[in-house]
Amino acid sequence: MDFETIMTIGILVMVFLFGICIGSFLNVCIFRLPAGESLTKQNSHCMTCGAPIKWYDLIPVFSWLILRGKCRACGAKISGRYILVESMTGILFVLTFLRFDVISDGLIYPALLCLFIAGLIVIGFEDYDTQEMTVSVLMYLTLLAFFTRVITSVLPLRFTRGCDISLEDGIIGLFAVSVPLLFFGFVLTPLIYNFIDEDRKAVRRIRKRLKTEKLPVNEEQKLQKALETHAAAVKEKGMTFGFGMGDVMLMAAGGLMLGWKSAVVAAFIAIISGAVYAAVLKARADTDKPVRAFAFGPFLTAGLILSSFFGTQLMDLYIDFLTVPAIPAM
Ligand SMILES: [Zn+2]
């Protein structure tokens, strides 16, 4: 083995160990940020018996494996979520660095990508758990994407040789998916919803009758009551459904960081996998219990993470496929 191979393997091992430590911190973020708890407060203890956890039982991935997912003091099961997030972060970090020749491309760009993926992991699990995204993590992703675009435009090429996203790709990416999402989520869907929703239709029908028809008093009172019930149901459902503002911000940051091609591919991955998930939920749901709305964020973050690896290449292939080959000159 030559020196460069040994160096590369050494760097990848370091990246994995660093990744699982970051993953351990991400677990803390996922559990504490939605609850508004401090990230720095240092008192890890067992969720069941409350026994403080010793430092040697806090080693990412390895401690969980040694303890076989059980508390050392009371034997209660420790959530598999811990080792899932830790190993996932470590593996994604290594895969990200593997895309680059770390010796000649430098470590800056792959490291920035890893920091972005770390934020995506937190957003995905947060949204899955609580159906909400914390603003601080969305801000982190946006600022990191902005910083990356500035750094890769300003620094001499030899530091960021591996970066294949141009400033234009990033700026188009900022809007490519976020603006359509904003339009669908906040303009088109509420508009269509307004015409197909039974409660909204009922409100309009009753208002019209009350206005135009001469009705007996008891009939009018009955209608007034019905109007109140339907109006309350409308209010309960809210104006918007489907996408939230968090999804829009997430895709803006994702596009700025990964370029418009990856953002578009990510949106496709999310919509297709989300639709499959919804179909499965519907098929398995009880007839008396309607399907609850589910968070779309995990699908968007999974799409962004996957497309950070092959989004640009996949989109280029697709564009090539669409482009009619030029007739070769004689
Ligand atoms: Zn315990």
Side-chain angles (χ1 to χ4, degrees):
M1 270 204 293
D2 59 293
F3 178 71
E4 256 187 36
T5 317
I6 295 169
M7 269 290 277
T8 308
I9 292 172
I11 290 173
L12 291 178
V13 170
M14 294 291 284
V15 164
F16 180 74
L17 295 177
F18 186 67
I20 59 176
C21 293
I22 295 283
S24 183
F25 174 67
L26 299 186
N27 268 319
V28 178
C29 295
I30 292 164
F31 281 109
R32 292 189 186 171
L33 281 179
E37 287 175 44
S38 158
L39 289 180
T40 49
K41 153 184 102 166
Q42 270 289 313
N43 54 344
S44 297
H45 50 77
C46 171
M47 298 282 198
T48 311
C49 70
I53 301 169
K54 300 272 173 24
W55 65 267
Y56 49 79
D57 286 338
L58 281 170
I59 299 160
V61 178
F62 298 104
S63 287
W64 197 95
L65 288 176
I66 290 166
L67 295 170
R68 295 214 196 86
K70 290 192 182 93
C71 168
R72 192 186 284 274
C74 72
K77 215 167 157 278
I78 303 168
S79 167
R81 169 72 72 82
Y82 290 100
I83 191 173
L84 173 69
V85 171
E86 286 161 0
S87 50
M88 190 175 159
T89 311
I91 291 166
L92 285 172
F93 278 21
V94 169
L95 289 177
T96 299
F97 272 79
L98 271 177
R99 281 177 54 207
F100 302 94
D101 180 348
V102 286
I103 306 292
S104 64
D105 290 346
L107 302 174
I108 295 175
Y109 187 62
L112 288 168
L113 273 178
C114 285
L115 288 175
F116 195 78
I117 288 174
L120 290 178
I121 293 173
V122 174
I123 281 283
F125 280 101
E126 262 185 17
D127 201 28
Y128 178 78
D129 288 343
T130 65
Q131 304 220 353
E132 259 168 64
M133 300 175 182
T134 2
V135 177
S136 53
V137 186
L138 288 171
M139 285 308 294
Y140 161 83
L141 288 172
T142 309
L143 290 175
L144 181 65
F146 183 74
F147 176 75
T148 303
R149 285 285 75 80
V150 171
I151 281 282
T152 49
S153 310
V154 168
L155 273 189
L157 187 67
R158 70 197 150 93
F159 292 110
T160 57
R161 210 189 303 272
C163 176
D164 48 358
I165 310 298
S166 70
L167 185 60
E168 290 87 344
D169 283 339
I171 291 171
I172 299 170
L174 185 63
F175 305 107
V177 174
S178 61
V179 171
L181 213 57
L182 196 68
F183 178 73
F184 275 110
F186 293 87
V187 181
L188 197 63
T189 330
L191 210 65
I192 294 171
Y193 195 47
N194 204 27
F195 288 103
I196 59 165
D197 181 54
E198 288 304 325
D199 286 307
R200 282 168 208 265
K201 281 201 292 200
V203 166
R204 273 199 303 276
R205 197 172 52 233
I206 297 169
R207 281 209 180 119
K208 199 174 165 196
R209 279 195 68 186
L210 286 172
K211 233 184 189 168
T212 53
E213 290 174 37
K214 269 258 176 282
L215 295 162
V217 180
N218 63 337
E219 181 83 357
E220 199 177 316
Q221 272 172 346
K222 233 161 89 190
L223 277 180
Q224 279 292 356
K225 209 162 217 147
L227 179 65
E228 274 164 34
T229 323
H230 287 300
V234 167
K235 209 171 170 192
E236 173 96 349
K237 285 177 200 165
M239 253 316 277
T240 57
F241 79 123
F243 309 114
M245 210 53 207
D247 298 318
V248 173
M249 261 187 89
L250 175 66
M251 292 315 285
L256 182 60
M257 183 74 189
L258 306 172
W260 68 271
K261 291 172 183 169
S262 289
V264 170
V265 170
F268 270 100
I269 294 174
I271 289 167
I272 292 166
S273 55
V276 170
Y277 181 70
V280 170
L281 273 191
K282 205 159 191 177
R284 287 172 51 186
D286 301 325
T287 36
D288 50 320
K289 249 201 282 172
V291 183
R292 260 176 6 102
F294 60 91
F296 196 50
F299 297 97
L300 287 173
T301 45
L304 283 172
I305 290 173
L306 286 174
S307 66
S308 82
F309 291 102
F310 54 75
T312 308
Q313 292 80 346
L314 199 66
M315 197 66 190
D316 283 339
L317 267 181
Y318 180 67
I319 293 169
D320 278 348
F321 174 74
L322 286 187
T323 316
V324 180
I327 299 161
M330 296 296 275

